[in-house]
Amino acid sequence: MNKVRTMEDLPINRFHYKIFAYASGSTFIDGYIIGIIAVALSVMHTQFDLSVTMTGLIGMATLAGMFVGGIIGGYLTDIIGRKTMFLIDMLVMLIVSILQFYINDPSQLVLLRFILGIAIGADYPIAGALMAEFSPKKNRGSLLGGLNGFWYVGYASSFLVGYLLLSLGDTSWRWMLASSAVPVAIMLLARLNMPESPLWLASKGKEKEANALVQKIFGEHVIMSNEPKAQKKTTFLDMFRNGYGKWIFFVSAFWSLSVIPTFGIGTYIPEILAQFGFADGSREYLGSAIINIVYLIGLLPALYLVEKYGRRPTLILPFLISGIALIVLGATSGLNTPFSLILLLFIVYGTFNTAMGAHQWIYPNELFPTHIRGTAMGFITGVTRFASAIGTFVFPFFLGNFGLAATLYICGGLLFLGFLISLFMAPETKNMSLAQSSSINKSGPLKQGSFVSNKTANGIGGTLSASETRLREK
């Protein structure tokens, strides 16, 4: 007799890595598009008389677009499905990436970067929901957290590509901006064959189709996860009701406090390294790429520790350490500090920043139920990108008017505030099913026996479907 198992109880396999590849494309492209503008802006200054205001607008346009895209795209993801939205936003990104090559005025670039941001913002809630809804519960934290790492891969890749394209001269910035069309086209083609989420299908009353899909992918002795299968209508305001508003605040707060320094420093890191005294025409760009590649060092142990020790400690401690690193960097500015030491401090900041960044994907996808998972993730993405856009816009003003040291002190202070919020609010969701983790806001963590298990025939809100019952009888 073959034992009937749920998707969440399966060991990780090749299919899970395939879904991870689909989802990680979102964060890679986001990092690449955010990063390439930093190099392109430095070259554009040779052709356009860019004011500080216009530079800030170009730098923040994509992030501002993500505010709109996250809120709208997340809601549409819960309404029309994960796969459909995945394909639509990739097509938009492809067209806009190519159009960037042909701009004749900086204001045109602001508009195109804003539209690009809308598409990227819509991609975030789809990627997170799809990954969470297919992941085994024992590996969900590392799979979701791993998505964040590909943001840094994309970001570092953009600096390497930009560094190589500098040899094209004054028009190199056009090729830099249009280069994002390459990974977008690859991802669009790859996603044509991806499946829809069975949990989303079931939440829309298509349980028969959902069960058939699960058995096609995993085999006839596998059923959907333990989350209740009752059909639920997606309502935008549901993410603020029934105690979920607390999680909206928590995730929005710690995520915003994490990414404001990340995007501010990341967008202008060539200028920051130049102010440290390392501007020779190319070294600041190569240094930026090295810093971001080494940032990934922090992700690898984090993906292991988040499953071994849990979500709380792997969020709280990195906030504290990365904040201290920025404060030390501020204190060393203007002291003729060796390049190697500056790189080391940025690496300490970046590796722990990457470690806590894994939770930007874990918490919002674990703390909300299927019918509002995309909506909540999209809303939170929008909030954090709005905060990032403001931070990116004002960063050059702080850098120019208050100096490098004060700017780094402020960034360190924001990370310390994130440490305090996480210390008092972060829940523990390790080894929980999605049904459990999305219910801890109501009465604390629910017992495993409260949900459908391999030994139980009944679920919350009803009985097993006919197909699931037949499977258990075999």
Side-chain angles (χ1 to χ4, degrees):
M1 180 182 294
N2 291 318
K3 181 180 179 181
V4 176
R5 292 187 292 180
T6 70
M7 289 194 300
E8 291 186 297
D9 292 323
L10 291 174
I12 193 168
N13 58 43
R14 183 178 179 182
F15 176 79
H16 297 122
Y17 292 122
K18 190 175 182 180
I19 294 295
F20 180 84
Y22 291 139
S24 61
S26 300
T27 49
F28 177 92
I29 291 168
D30 178 20
Y32 189 94
I33 289 174
I34 294 295
I36 199 67
I37 193 63
V39 189
L41 275 173
S42 65
V43 183
M44 285 181 68
H45 278 285
T46 64
Q47 294 192 11
F48 297 102
D49 184 19
L50 297 178
S51 65
V52 174
T53 300
M54 182 56 70
T55 301
L57 286 172
I58 293 174
M60 71 172 281
T62 305
L63 300 174
M66 289 183 72
F67 169 70
V68 178
I71 293 175
I72 297 175
Y75 183 64
L76 290 176
T77 296
D78 286 333
I79 296 294
I80 67 176
R82 298 3 180 171
K83 180 177 180 177
T84 302
M85 283 299 298
F86 240 173
L87 297 178
I88 291 174
D89 59 21
M90 281 291 108
L91 183 59
V92 172
M93 273 190 251
L94 179 62
I95 295 171
V96 177
S97 291
I98 295 172
L99 287 177
Q100 291 179 106
F101 184 87
Y102 299 100
I103 69 158
N104 296 310
D105 185 85
S107 60
Q108 295 174 345
L109 183 58
V110 173
L111 177 60
L112 289 176
R113 299 288 295 181
F114 181 77
I115 297 172
L116 205 54
I118 292 176
I120 297 172
D123 218 43
Y124 262 57
I126 318 168
L130 193 74
M131 190 73 261
E133 289 160 10
F134 272 115
S135 295
K137 65 182 179 183
K138 291 185 178 180
N139 306 101
R140 189 172 57 241
S142 57
L143 287 171
L144 285 170
L147 296 179
N148 190 60
F150 276 83
W151 189 94
Y152 292 93
V153 175
Y155 193 78
S157 298
S158 73
F159 277 92
L160 287 174
V161 170
Y163 176 72
L164 295 172
L165 291 177
L166 283 172
S167 61
L168 296 178
D170 291 342
T171 61
S172 62
W173 62 271
R174 294 184 182 274
W175 295 101
M176 292 176 194
L177 295 176
S179 66
S180 60
V182 176
V184 170
I186 293 172
M187 190 52 55
L188 175 61
L189 293 174
R191 288 177 177 178
L192 291 175
N193 296 318
M194 63 173 283
E196 183 55 89
S197 163
L199 285 180
W200 179 83
L201 290 171
S203 73
K204 300 305 175 186
K206 302 177 181 179
E207 190 173 344
K208 183 177 180 180
E209 182 181 345
N211 282 316
L213 180 60
V214 170
Q215 292 167 30
K216 178 182 178 181
I217 295 172
F218 297 111
E220 63 176 5
H221 294 284
V222 179
I223 61 175
M224 277 185 292
S225 62
N226 293 332
E227 192 168 350
K229 313 300 189 304
Q231 181 177 354
K232 294 184 179 180
K233 182 179 179 181
T234 297
T235 304
F236 187 80
L237 294 179
D238 279 354
M239 61 181 165
F240 299 106
R241 298 170 178 149
N242 301 315
Y244 291 115
K246 175 178 66 176
W247 297 141
I248 289 289
F249 170 79
F250 163 64
V251 181
S252 297
F254 91 73
W255 192 343
S256 295
L257 292 167
S258 169
V259 297
I260 288 174
T262 298
F263 284 126
I265 293 172
T267 302
Y268 303 104
I269 196 167
E271 172 63 22
I272 291 172
L273 290 178
Q275 289 201 26
F276 269 110
F278 309 115
D280 62 1
S282 63
R283 188 162 57 154
E284 64 268 37
Y285 303 115
L286 185 59
S288 300
I290 293 172
I291 288 170
N292 283 283
I293 291 172
V294 182
Y295 277 3
L296 292 172
I297 293 175
L299 182 64
L300 299 178
L303 298 183
Y304 168 75
L305 296 172
V306 76
E307 301 291 10
K308 182 174 179 61
Y309 294 108
R311 283 43 164 164
R312 273 183 56 82
T314 51
L315 176 66
I316 294 169
L317 189 61
F319 255 119
L320 181 61
I321 294 177
S322 57
I324 292 173
L326 286 185
I327 291 173
V328 174
L329 274 167
T332 59
S333 65
L335 299 180
N336 295 319
T337 309
F339 185 61
S340 58
L341 180 57
I342 296 300
L343 279 180
L344 177 61
L345 287 169
F346 268 114
I347 288 169
V348 171
Y349 153 72
T351 51
F352 282 95
N353 192 329
T354 307
M356 67 186 176
H359 297 75
Q360 298 165 7
W361 289 84
I362 297 173
Y363 273 129
N365 287 295
E366 289 187 334
L367 294 176
F368 298 93
T370 298
H371 72 290
I372 58 169
R373 183 168 292 121
T375 304
M377 177 67 170
F379 178 82
I380 292 167
T381 299
V383 170
T384 61
R385 274 12 185 200
F386 179 78
S388 301
I390 298 299
T392 303
F393 181 70
V394 302
F395 194 92
F397 289 97
F398 277 97
L399 201 58
N401 296 323
F402 299 103
L404 180 59
T407 304
L408 292 174
Y409 290 148
I410 292 171
C411 290
L414 291 175
L415 293 177
F416 184 72
L417 180 57
F419 160 74
L420 293 177
I421 290 175
S422 301
L423 183 64
F424 289 104
M425 292 193 69
E428 186 53 74
T429 56
K430 186 183 84 167
N431 287 335
M432 290 184 181
S433 67
L434 287 176
Q436 289 176 305
S437 62
S438 63
S439 300
I440 61 176
N441 62 304
K442 298 175 181 178
S443 58
L446 299 180
K447 302 297 183 182
Q448 182 67 32
S450 300
F451 296 88
V452 180
S453 69
N454 290 332
K455 298 178 181 180
T456 308
N458 293 324
I460 294 178
T463 59
L464 291 173
S465 67
S467 60
E468 290 176 341
T469 302
R470 286 196 298 271
L471 277 174
R472 293 194 183 280
E473 292 173 348
K474 289 183 179 181

